[in-house]
Amino acid sequence: DDDDDDDDDEHRCPQTEQATTITIGAGKVSSNSTTNNQATSHQKLKKKMAGLVDKLEKRLQEAIATRDGLQVKVKKSQESLQRLFTKTAKRPRDTITGIDVKIAALERERTITSVSLAKERDILRQIKSLERSKTQVQESQILENEVQATKKLIDEMRDEIRARNSSIDELEAGLAKLKLANKLGCTTQDIIEETMECPSDKVGMVIGKGGSTMKRIMEETKVTLDVDKTTNVISISGSAEGIANAKKAIEKITLSLEIEFVASKDVVSYLTTKHVTLIQQLRDDHEELYVDVDRSSGRVSIRGMPDPVMKVRSLIETMKMERRDMVMTRRETLILVGRKGATIDRLTKAHMVAIDVGKIDKTSDSVNASIIGPEANVQEAADEISSLLHDNKEVIETIPVSVMMKRILITDAAKHLREIQDGINAELDGEDETGNDNGNTNSKSNVYLTFDKDQRDSTHPELTVKAKQHQVMIAVELAEKGIETKKSLIVNRPISTDVIPYIIGKKGENIKKITKDSKAYLEVERDQGCISVGATTAEERDAALAKLDDVIRQNQILKIDGDANMADEQFREMIRSKQIEEFRKESQLDFVDETSQFVLRGTDESNQRAHDLIQEFLKNNYVRQLELTDEDVEALQTGGKGSSNIKKIQTEHAVQLNIIRSKSLIVVKGLKDNVEAAVTAIEQFLNGGEGYSVSKISVSEQVVGIVIGKGGKTRVGLEEKYEGVSINISKTHRISIRGPDEQVAACRVEILRLIASARVTQTIKVAEEQKVTLEKNGVVRRIMRSIPVLVKINEESAEIRGNFHDVRDAMSLFKEQLSGVYTSSIELDPSQFAKLRNTCRDPAHIARMEADSKAK
């Protein structure tokens, strides 16, 4: 600025101010006024320089803003020009004057000469076309004028921008010089520039890595440096004193010695380890010494003044390194390295050693780790690593848990299991923070809880606890405590084993309803009579319990013991009766054949009401069953529908009688006393007893007719003759006589006389070869000699005639000759027959009789 020229005296660099001395009397006194003047001058200069910088920066910003505004206007004008280009149509060839001439000629032709109507229309059409072309030419000329005006404006603004850029360059140059003077603490007039040559091999050293050396020199000497790598010339700007100091610093670099040598692999590995600070110590001891080690090539580079360079080289070359290899598993390697390398960094820093871990190969479980450094340091590091690996060895323990507890722990992405696990790790981490970290900076606990998928016994699951050796027992104890806190989520309900199937429901239907849309579980212990309810939260557990208790309440079991001899029949009668619906309104009813029990299922109140109804039913429906033969059935039904023996007994004793032919049974139902009396009457009727007899005689079909007589006359006569006697003849030709003892005995004798006097004929088929055998052995003659019968052999059969009993005996002998087996029968009275039948229910009696008699 022109108005600042008179202040040049204040712009001198404070470094050039000389102290003044004032002589007073004989003495020489140093004045403080000089120092104060220097400080005041320096402050004024600094203030002045700051004001100049602010002014120049403001003017620079204004110039840049003006230029940027012009650039925006140019851009908008260019966009406007582009729009004009898009509007401009193809320029017509004719001019306005030419078009006017053509229009005038056409008008003369139309008005002066005589033309046809068609010709006149054609001329008018041409005139309209020319008028449109004229309009297009006029519009084109207007757009062209706008385009030219816009281009001129753009050119003017570009010229202005170039002028502004030139002004901005001048302002930036002046501002840069002013800032440099301000930075160096002098005026712009004090700034000078000098150059010096630099050996080509030293240029990089002067610049330094990333320009670090050059920056250091500029900060220390208050100068600016510019290195031309092409000419190897260094330009130095600043005060005279700053330039001199900068030259000295550069000469120290250009005159320094630089050597390279290859060190041993172990020494290189040791020196380049992150926390081994030997290289930094050498740099600190020799400020101007540059030391660098390349790990990949093993080269050591040293640069500086000759003496310290050779001293450091000797130190590195004579270093003695101890190398110790340790083979580790992959997991041990991870422990050594630690989280994000924290453990290996701590060991390296603590023992000043290099620890080199080999590459972890997925195909191998072993990894080699090397410890490199001074022998004592290596030994200490190896001891701590061994202790670290021992303490952090992973150990597995198991804790047995219930199936229900396992389900709760693994539900919701194992929320409760993770909660216990996190609690264990937090507590163990708390202990480590108190100092119990076993020398491991990676002391964060890593206890892991899981259920192994390959557990074979799923009914007895075990929780696996994985932890470091020094923590595993504490981890197991904490895990057991954590599991104990979760037991409140499980409730056991003791319940009758009879109720359990109904609690489960068909295909687990009730269990599904209870646990539907919830994270609750039910575990049924059938043998122990217990149902466990568990859930991930107390709310869901209580909700499931409420549902379970409701199901239990509605499925209480009440058993009613029945008589094994009649309970099943009573149940069938109950099912057939109308009362069954009344029972079922109260409770579900079932019957267990094995125990002859009636089983009621429902609430306690409904079961009790059903119990009372069933007891009343059983009392009124006492049942007895008697086995019957077909002949017994025929005997009971004799007499017709309204007057049969069954009807008589049923009416007399007020009971119900039902014959089940398929099972050969008669069922007697009613009050107990009535049923017992009716059973006695039936047994007496069928088998005799207490002065009542039953006698049975088996006869042939021919003899039956004799006993019946013509129109039943003989049988009726016998029943009338012997009072109280009834005679029944079965389909199997068995005659049954029932009545008082004496009358039955007398009637039997008379019937036997009728049978004995009856002449009968029986026929048996005989094959041709059998006839030859019979004739050869004289069988027919022997039979007729021993038994008074007549035997006649026909073509295909043998005919035997005689009295009933004789014919029967002869038939047995004849069959014996044909088949080799003698078959006969014994007639027993009913009481004898019943005793024999009951006895023969035990196969041992049959076997004994067959063994003694040698007969079947």
Side-chain angles (χ1 to χ4, degrees), residues 18-181:
Q18 300 295 322
T20 60
T21 302
I22 302 175
T23 303
I24 302 177
K28 201 177 192 181
V29 181
S30 177
S31 174
N32 291 330
S33 62
T34 303
T35 303
N36 292 334
N37 290 336
Q38 289 178 350
T40 302
S41 176
H42 180 69
Q43 289 175 357
K44 288 182 178 180
L45 175 63
K46 192 171 183 180
K47 184 177 179 182
K48 187 72 173 180
M49 296 290 282
L52 290 174
V53 169
D54 290 342
K55 288 180 180 180
L56 282 180
E57 284 183 341
K58 185 177 180 181
R59 288 172 60 184
L60 178 62
Q61 292 303 320
E62 289 174 352
I64 291 172
T66 303
R67 180 197 63 188
D68 292 345
L70 288 171
Q71 288 176 338
V72 171
K73 290 180 179 179
V74 168
K75 185 176 180 181
K76 289 181 178 180
S77 297
Q78 288 174 332
E79 292 172 354
S80 177
L81 183 63
Q82 189 63 35
R83 286 193 296 272
L84 289 173
F85 285 149
T86 57
K87 290 180 181 179
T88 304
K90 188 175 180 181
R91 186 174 183 179
R93 295 180 181 179
D94 294 334
T95 63
I96 293 175
T97 304
I99 293 172
D100 288 339
V101 171
K102 290 180 180 180
I103 292 172
L106 289 171
E107 283 290 344
R108 282 195 305 274
E109 183 181 358
R110 183 178 69 85
T111 59
I112 297 174
T113 62
S114 177
V115 294
S116 64
L117 183 62
K119 180 66 174 175
E120 185 177 6
R121 283 199 298 267
D122 182 58
I123 292 172
L124 290 172
R125 187 173 60 255
Q126 291 181 40
I127 292 172
K128 286 183 179 180
S129 177
L130 289 171
E131 287 176 347
R132 285 196 298 270
S133 297
K134 181 179 178 180
T135 301
Q136 289 177 355
V137 171
Q138 290 172 342
E139 290 175 353
S140 178
Q141 287 178 349
I142 293 170
L143 287 174
E144 181 64 25
N145 293 335
E146 289 182 9
V147 168
Q148 295 303 321
T150 303
K151 284 183 176 180
K152 182 179 179 182
L153 178 62
I154 291 172
D155 291 340
E156 291 174 352
M157 287 190 292
R158 283 177 175 170
D159 291 342
E160 180 68 17
I161 289 172
R162 282 192 285 272
R164 291 291 178 181
N165 283 336
S166 177
S167 176
I168 288 169
D169 291 341
E170 292 177 0
L171 287 170
E172 286 177 342
L175 184 62
K177 189 172 183 181
L178 192 59
K179 286 183 177 180
L180 175 62

Side-chain angles (χ1 to χ4, degrees), residues 684-685 688-695 718-719 721-727 737-748:
Q684 187 179 32
F685 174 78
E690 297 182 2
Y692 190 87
S693 294
V694 177
S695 180
L718 289 171
E719 288 178 345
K721 181 178 179 180
Y722 300 101
E723 186 179 356
V725 170
S726 64
I727 299 172
I737 310 167
R738 291 180 171 83
D741 292 341
E742 293 179 1
Q743 299 296 327
V744 169
C747 183
R748 176 185 174 86

Side-chain angles (χ1 to χ4, degrees), residues 547-594:
K547 293 179 182 178
L548 174 63
D549 291 340
D550 187 57
V551 174
I552 293 173
R553 186 183 66 81
Q554 296 180 27
N555 287 277
Q556 290 299 303
I557 297 296
L558 179 61
K559 295 181 180 179
I560 303 173
D561 294 329
D563 189 330
N565 296 321
M566 66 182 76
D568 57 342
E569 180 59 32
Q570 287 177 316
F571 180 68
R572 283 193 290 272
E573 180 63 24
M574 196 179 295
I575 296 299
R576 290 191 291 267
S577 72
K578 295 181 180 179
Q579 287 180 275
I580 188 64
E581 293 303 323
E582 187 178 355
F583 300 156
R584 286 174 174 168
K585 284 180 182 177
E586 298 295 344
S587 300
Q588 292 292 324
L589 175 63
D590 202 358
F591 181 74
V592 182
D593 289 328
E594 294 79 4

Side-chain angles (χ1 to χ4, degrees), residues 293-410:
V293 181
D294 184 12
R295 188 181 184 91
S296 60
S297 64
R299 287 187 171 278
V300 180
S301 300
I302 307 174
R303 183 176 69 250
M305 301 310 290
D307 289 343
V309 167
M310 299 309 297
K311 183 178 179 181
V312 170
R313 175 176 183 170
S314 176
L315 174 66
I316 293 175
E317 288 182 331
T318 57
M319 289 178 69
K320 290 184 179 181
M321 292 287 106
E322 173 78 9
R323 183 186 187 96
R324 185 171 301 181
D325 294 330
M326 300 179 72
V327 179
M328 303 178 182
T329 63
R330 293 174 63 188
R331 185 180 179 280
E332 289 175 334
T333 303
L334 296 175
I335 293 172
L336 173 60
V337 174
R339 186 177 284 107
K340 297 182 179 180
T343 303
I344 198 170
D345 286 349
R346 182 187 63 79
L347 292 169
T348 299
K349 191 174 182 180
H351 300 287
M352 291 298 291
V353 293
I355 302 176
D356 186 16
V357 179
K359 187 177 181 181
I360 299 177
D361 187 357
K362 293 181 179 180
T363 61
S364 175
D365 191 51
S366 60
V367 181
N368 187 69
S370 301
I371 309 171
I372 305 165
E375 183 177 359
N377 298 23
V378 169
Q379 183 63 48
E380 291 175 0
D383 291 343
E384 184 170 350
I385 290 172
S386 297
S387 176
L388 176 68
L389 296 181
H390 177 270
D391 291 342
N392 287 274
K393 181 180 179 182
E394 188 175 74
V395 180
I396 295 177
E397 294 288 339
T398 58
I399 302 172
V401 298
S402 66
V403 175
M404 179 68 71
M405 180 58 71
K406 177 184 175 181
R407 286 185 173 184
I408 291 173
L409 292 177
I410 64 177

Side-chain angles (χ1 to χ4, degrees), residues 60 105 130 225 261 281 290 349 353 539 631 693 773 838:
L60 178 62
L130 289 171
L225 299 179
F261 60 94
Q281 289 176 3
Y290 170 81
K349 191 174 182 180
V353 293
E539 292 77 11
E631 292 179 11
S693 294
T773 302
N838 292 333

Side-chain angles (χ1 to χ4, degrees), residues 481-757:
K481 289 180 179 178
I483 292 171
E484 191 67 29
T485 62
K486 304 300 178 185
K487 286 185 177 179
S488 62
L489 297 172
I490 300 175
V491 175
N492 297 319
R493 277 282 191 271
I495 190 169
S496 170
T497 55
D498 296 327
V499 178
I500 286 178
Y502 303 107
I503 302 302
I504 297 173
K506 187 177 182 181
K507 295 182 180 181
E509 181 181 9
N510 288 337
I511 297 289
K512 293 175 183 177
K513 287 181 180 178
I514 293 172
T515 58
K516 185 179 180 182
D517 299 328
S518 72
K519 292 171 183 175
Y521 304 99
L522 265 69
E523 196 71 36
V524 180
E525 298 286 347
R526 286 177 177 266
D527 298 337
Q528 299 178 9
C530 178
I531 296 181
S532 299
V533 180
T536 56
T537 64
E539 292 77 11
E540 290 192 334
R541 176 205 62 198
D542 294 341
L545 273 175
K547 293 179 182 178
L548 174 63
D549 291 340
D550 187 57
V551 174
I552 293 173
R553 186 183 66 81
Q554 296 180 27
N555 287 277
Q556 290 299 303
I557 297 296
L558 179 61
K559 295 181 180 179
I560 303 173
D561 294 329
D563 189 330
N565 296 321
M566 66 182 76
D568 57 342
E569 180 59 32
Q570 287 177 316
F571 180 68
R572 283 193 290 272
E573 180 63 24
M574 196 179 295
I575 296 299
R576 290 191 291 267
S577 72
K578 295 181 180 179
Q579 287 180 275
I580 188 64
E581 293 303 323
E582 187 178 355
F583 300 156
R584 286 174 174 168
K585 284 180 182 177
E586 298 295 344
S587 300
Q588 292 292 324
L589 175 63
D590 202 358
F591 181 74
V592 182
D593 289 328
E594 294 79 4
T595 59
S596 299
Q597 288 179 316
F598 298 90
V599 179
L600 294 171
R601 179 166 59 89
T603 64
D604 288 335
E605 297 79 5
S606 64
N607 283 348
Q608 188 58 49
R609 290 193 296 269
H611 170 272
D612 296 340
L613 293 171
I614 289 173
Q615 288 289 17
E616 183 66 23
F617 180 87
L618 296 178
K619 178 182 176 182
N620 296 326
N621 287 272
Y622 188 78
V623 177
R624 285 285 304 274
Q625 295 178 348
L626 297 176
E627 293 183 359
L628 298 178
T629 64
D630 291 341
E631 292 179 11
D632 293 339
V633 173
E634 290 181 22
L636 288 169
Q637 292 179 336
T638 300
K641 187 173 182 180
S643 60
S644 65
N645 293 312
I646 285 181
K647 191 66 177 177
K648 292 176 183 178
I649 295 173
Q650 188 170 282
T651 302
E652 182 180 347
H653 297 284
V655 295
Q656 293 181 16
L657 298 180
N658 182 29
I659 294 175
I660 305 174
R661 287 183 176 273
S662 61
K663 296 184 178 180
S664 299
L665 292 175
I666 183 169
V667 180
V668 187
K669 305 172 194 172
L671 294 174
K672 182 176 181 180
D673 293 342
N674 296 2
V675 169
E676 294 295 348
V679 168
T680 301
I682 292 170
E683 289 179 339
Q684 187 179 32
F685 174 78
L686 295 176
N687 302 318
E690 297 182 2
Y692 190 87
S693 294
V694 177
S695 180
K696 296 181 180 182
I697 305 169
S698 295
V699 296
S700 66
E701 186 177 358
Q702 297 172 1
V703 175
V704 167
I706 295 171
V707 176
I708 295 173
K710 188 175 181 180
K713 184 176 180 181
T714 304
R715 183 176 66 178
V716 172
L718 289 171
E719 288 178 345
E720 291 176 350
K721 181 178 179 180
Y722 300 101
E723 186 179 356
V725 170
S726 64
I727 299 172
N728 181 59
I729 300 174
S730 69
K731 294 177 182 179
T732 58
H733 313 133
R734 185 184 292 274
I735 301 171
S736 298
I737 310 167
R738 291 180 171 83
D741 292 341
E742 293 179 1
Q743 299 296 327
V744 169
C747 183
R748 176 185 174 86
V749 171
E750 187 167 346
I751 290 173
L752 288 175
R753 287 175 185 167
L754 288 172
I755 293 170
S757 63

